[in-house]
Amino acid sequence: MGLFSKKNKGSGDRDIDMMINGVKVDLSNNYKDSALRTLNRLKEMLEEKYAEGKIKQDKYDECRGMIINFEGDLSSFKRTY
């Protein structure tokens, strides 16, 4: 990665990006309960920020798509012990 390379900016909102990353980490570590709590907070925060106009429509749609994918992953989640 060079000094002037493009960086993936995510949703454009640091708090939302951190929550999305938290859900990904929890799912990869098989922490369903923690992932579910973080996902619920993410949904609430996303709706609040969208209602306040802090997130644009395209980023909102992108995040909603991620949330739908996370919900699908959680519904098929099975414990391995």
Side-chain angles (χ1 to χ4, degrees), residues 22-32 77:
V23 173
K24 288 179 181 177
V25 168
D26 288 340
L27 287 174
S28 69
N29 289 324
N30 294 328
Y31 299 147
K32 181 180 182 180
F77 186 88

Side-chain angles (χ1 to χ4, degrees), residues 24-52:
K24 288 179 181 177
V25 168
D26 288 340
L27 287 174
S28 69
N29 289 324
N30 294 328
Y31 299 147
K32 181 180 182 180
D33 296 334
S34 180
L36 189 57
R37 281 191 301 272
T38 306
L39 183 61
N40 288 332
R41 286 195 318 247
L42 172 62
K43 288 194 281 189
E44 290 173 12
M45 182 183 292
L46 181 65
E47 295 300 328
E48 287 174 12
K49 290 188 182 253
Y50 181 68
E52 294 170 357

